[in-house]
Amino acid sequence: MAEARAPHGIRKVLSHRAHEPRRPQLDALVRGASSEKSKRDRIRTWVEQREGKANVLRAGAAPLDNVEAPLVQDALRIAEQVDRPVEDVVDTVDEQQDLIELDARLATSYPDSYAGMVMSTTDEPAQVVFDDSVPAQALDEVASASADVDVSAGDALPQEDVQGWLDRIQGSLRPVVGLAQVSFESETQKFRIVVREDAAASDAEMEVAIGTLPEGASLAPIERTLTDHEDDAYEDHTIRGGGTLVASGCTAGFVVRHRVTGEKFLSTAGHCPVLSGASQDVYQARGVDDWTRTTGMYYGNRVYFGLITPDFSYLSIPETRDPYPSTYITYTDKREVGAYYRHRLPKGTWVCHFGRTTEHSCSTIDEPSINLGHYGGSGLVAVSTNVSAPGDSGGPWWRSASAVGVHSGKVSNRDNRSVYSPVHMMAEFGNFQPWTTN
């Protein structure tokens, strides 16, 4: 096929189109339903039938047409939020699951040239970009995908180099303007800079401070819409994600394990103990009638809230309590954590979160890597909408039965998108990883 040239100078080298999926179980489940609500109620019943004791959905629960039961449960919530037919949303999240696996394989196999993926939209297929040229084996992998994918190549910044450039640009801007928010759009190969409206430096002075950019990359018009950072606030014997942390006013993230000792801790946001002044916290389980509190949980020196760190902290768990690799996803429903993502997910991926204030909400990833410029704001992920409120800080973000991130707050900008610290960064900041059933 003739190579088409994209607006930002990257040429298209492959357009792969997949077959529509067949879903006989889902079709049978919703057949004859009189309304979208009726369809959702039937699927919700199907999910509830797979929940175990205490409303915990197992990570390995039987799938629906090869779609994981936790992912079906997330699709229900997304369909309600965006008012789309639930069958369409099931197709979308299942397609994304295949693309996430393709993204991880490409990033691992071609770290020097793979520049990332953007998920498909209703109008466009998924986009995969490589620097310079596309390895033949990579084209073969894309051609076997079960989703529509366009592959392009040109002067593109490899995905593994993005965070280093964000840190470098932010460091060069700090002496000039102080607070600056920096992110990178892989689809346009542009760095996006947002500063305060009253920032003293001119655009030209900031460009001089930033200096030379990687080949093929450029600056988007500098925005002056940054506002002061607003922090998200200040059952039984089982300790799990999603419980309330009383002293700091935050939400518990995931139960994590130390990668050397195996000892279990409870994660939350790093700003929770720092801004509340709490050296220890009280965990409060969720329940209809019984709210059991756990005291004697200490932060110690396990707090990460610096200028070049994400937003993590880890609480000790008393021996009198039983940690379990699961999390609340609503005020009553819980889900096992079967795995965690060891890499950043592509732009457009649906992810969901739980917070003590907003409960269960979902959104799509908007910026896979963003530096906010303030403490605890390095290497975060921004979603496309604000689905959080004060008190949600530290709560879990997930996709299906896999941990994705720990809630931090929102972008200090007029669009106020929610942000989280990706869980794979726990290895570098604390030597932890989410504790899973697998």
Side-chain angles (χ1 to χ4, degrees):
M1 57 170 284
E3 291 185 348
R5 185 163 291 275
H8 51 282
I10 293 179
R11 64 194 184 281
K12 186 182 294 183
V13 298
L14 174 71
S15 290
H16 166 70
R17 298 296 178 263
H19 298 293
E20 291 293 322
R22 296 183 61 216
R23 306 207 185 280
Q25 287 179 282
L26 178 59
D27 291 343
L29 196 59
V30 301
R31 188 177 296 126
S34 59
S35 64
E36 281 301 316
K37 182 180 182 303
S38 177
K39 290 179 184 178
R40 294 170 189 168
D41 288 344
R42 290 184 184 187
I43 296 174
R44 185 172 290 105
T45 299
W46 180 90
V47 171
E48 290 171 351
Q49 290 170 347
R50 279 145 186 81
E51 290 181 339
K53 295 180 180 179
N55 295 335
V56 177
L57 183 61
R58 303 299 179 191
L64 180 67
D65 292 317
N66 295 321
V67 182
E68 299 172 349
L71 199 54
V72 174
Q73 190 177 42
D74 288 342
L76 266 177
R77 182 70 186 101
I78 294 167
E80 291 170 344
Q81 273 190 222
V82 301
D83 195 25
R84 282 177 56 195
V86 67
E87 308 100 303
D88 291 354
V89 178
V90 170
D91 284 345
T92 296
V93 296
D94 186 41
E95 173 189 280
Q96 288 188 350
Q97 201 64 24
D98 291 337
L99 289 171
I100 287 169
E101 294 170 7
L102 174 63
D103 175 65
R105 291 196 303 271
L106 295 176
T108 301
S109 301
Y110 313 103
D112 294 333
S113 61
Y114 182 57
M117 174 187 291
V118 176
M119 288 294 183
S120 59
T121 66
T122 53
D123 302 318
E124 298 287 340
Q127 306 292 319
V128 165
V129 181
F130 280 83
D131 181 31
D132 191 22
S133 62
V134 185
Q137 287 181 312
L139 287 175
D140 291 341
E141 286 200 60
V142 173
S144 64
S146 59
D148 295 347
V149 184
D150 282 351
V151 183
S152 302
D155 290 330
L157 181 62
Q159 188 169 256
E160 72 166 15
D161 295 340
V162 169
Q163 188 58 48
W165 274 98
L166 295 184
D167 292 343
R168 175 178 169 179
I169 291 171
Q170 191 164 61
S172 66
L173 288 174
R174 191 171 293 123
V176 181
V177 296
L179 185 63
Q181 177 184 299
V182 187
S183 59
F184 181 72
E185 296 177 344
S186 61
E187 65 270 36
T188 62
Q189 293 294 298
K190 289 183 182 293
F191 287 96
R192 181 170 176 248
I193 313 295
V194 186
V195 297
R196 288 190 177 99
E197 185 176 3
D198 60 356
S202 67
D203 289 5
E205 289 170 327
M206 284 186 269
E207 291 173 9
V208 169
I210 292 169
T212 304
L213 294 172
E215 186 176 0
S218 61
L219 283 180
I222 294 174
E223 301 173 40
R224 294 177 178 265
T225 59
L226 193 62
T227 57
D228 288 335
H229 177 52
E230 296 179 16
D231 299 294
D232 269 5
Y234 286 101
E235 110 200 348
D236 46 33
H237 288 179
T238 300
I239 301 293
R240 56 167 56 89
T244 294
L245 298 177
V246 179
S248 62
C250 288
T251 303
F254 296 100
V255 177
V256 299
R257 61 181 293 273
H258 195 272
R259 289 156 56 88
V260 176
T261 67
E263 188 177 359
K264 309 302 187 300
F265 292 82
L266 185 64
S267 64
T268 189
H271 72 258
C272 292
V274 173
L275 300 183
S276 67
S279 61
Q280 58 180 302
D281 224 314
V282 177
Y283 176 90
Q284 183 168 278
R286 297 195 169 277
V288 178
D289 300 311
D290 178 31
W291 292 74
T292 301
R293 293 189 172 198
T294 299
T295 58
M297 302 180 70
Y298 295 89
Y299 290 100
N301 61 355
R302 298 175 296 273
V303 178
Y304 297 87
F305 187 60
L307 274 176
I308 55 172
T309 75
D311 194 8
F312 290 128
S313 60
Y314 310 95
L315 278 160
S316 61
I317 299 176
E319 294 181 358
T320 55
R321 293 293 188 256
D322 300 316
Y324 184 53
S326 64
T327 181
Y328 289 95
I329 65 164
T330 70
Y331 292 144
T332 56
D333 295 314
K334 314 170 195 76
R335 180 182 297 177
E336 284 188 338
V337 180
Y340 70 95
Y341 283 103
R342 292 166 167 80
H343 56 89
R344 295 176 187 274
L345 300 181
K347 180 174 180 174
T349 303
W350 276 102
V351 289
C352 300
H353 93 108
F354 175 85
R356 59 179 291 189
T357 306
T358 58
E359 197 176 4
H360 182 189
S361 301
C362 304
S363 189
T364 54
I365 291 175
D366 186 43
E367 290 179 305
S369 295
I370 184 170
N371 281 15
L372 301 185
H374 55 67
Y375 284 85
S378 180
L380 305 192
V381 177
V383 298
S384 57
T385 53
N386 182 16
V387 290
S388 56
D392 290 347
S393 290
W397 282 84
W398 68 84
R399 179 179 171 83
S400 188
S402 297
V404 171
V406 171
H407 186 68
S408 178
K410 61 185 180 182
V411 174
S412 301
N413 198 352
R414 290 170 187 165
D415 53 10
N416 284 336
R417 295 162 295 156
S418 297
V419 292
Y420 63 82
S421 301
V423 293
H424 73 270
M425 296 186 76
M426 289 179 173
E428 181 180 356
F429 297 94
N431 206 15
F432 291 101
Q433 66 185 51
W435 187 33
T436 68
T437 58
N438 296 328

